[in-house]
Amino acid sequence: MHALRIDPDATVTDLNLPAADAQSAIQEHLRADAVDHGIYHRRAVLHIHGNGHNLGLPQNLAAWALASAWRGVPLCPLAGPVVVTGRTESGDVTSLDADLVLHAKAVAHTVRDTLAEWRARPPASNEAAARELLAYAARDVAPRQQ
């Protein structure tokens, strides 16, 4: 089953999870005993380290921007690595659709580029930074005009 792991440094890794025991594989990839599930897109599940904030894991801006863009509103910060899988209509975990893979990779690329730009041109505030990232992420997940 095709999935992605998004790391806090905005690196995206393609995963091939076993269909029979995907949850255990996801726990291994997150290095977590507890995994939270975020449904921010009807065809995707974000599997989030269940104790990432309490352990002080670094924020995952790429996963946060992706989830926020899919939902259409700024969400609470996400911490640590995140695994993204597909989701069936009945709520089961499945392979991630190709268009959603492209969304995740585009948003992560944008986050990396934006963070690099901010080293030379820092944003005016945290709020301005969040608005800027969310605007770029919304653009990255918008339907393409043919």
Side-chain angles (χ1 to χ4, degrees), residues 69-96:
W70 278 345
R71 183 51 66 111
V73 295
L75 300 170
C76 294
L78 302 176
V82 170
V83 171
V84 186
T85 63
R87 179 177 179 269
T88 66
E89 285 187 25
S90 63
D92 294 328
V93 172
T94 189
S95 286
L96 190 61

Side-chain angles (χ1 to χ4, degrees), residues 118-119 121-126 128-130 132:
W118 286 349
R119 287 187 198 99
R121 181 197 51 85
S125 66
N126 287 341
E132 184 177 351

Side-chain angles (χ1 to χ4, degrees), residues 120-143:
R121 181 197 51 85
S125 66
N126 287 341
E127 293 80 18
R131 282 193 306 273
E132 184 177 351
L133 270 182
L134 290 179
Y136 295 151
R139 174 204 61 202
D140 289 341
V141 303

Side-chain angles (χ1 to χ4, degrees), residues 40-67:
Y40 306 110
H41 189 286
R42 64 183 167 76
R43 293 184 288 128
V45 179
L46 271 69
H47 305 267
I48 304 160
H49 194 294
N51 204 21
H53 286 289
N54 291 341
L55 293 173
L57 296 180
Q59 284 192 5
N60 192 325
L61 288 176
W64 169 81
L66 176 66

Side-chain angles (χ1 to χ4, degrees), residues 5-45:
R5 187 179 74 216
I6 304 173
D7 287 308
D9 67 357
T11 300
V12 177
T13 305
D14 289 283
L15 302 176
N16 185 16
L17 302 176
D21 198 13
Q23 290 303 324
S24 291
I26 290 166
Q27 282 181 285
E28 274 185 45
H29 283 286
L30 297 178
R31 295 183 187 98
D33 292 330
V35 176
D36 292 333
H37 300 100
I39 311 295
Y40 306 110
H41 189 286
R42 64 183 167 76
R43 293 184 288 128
V45 179

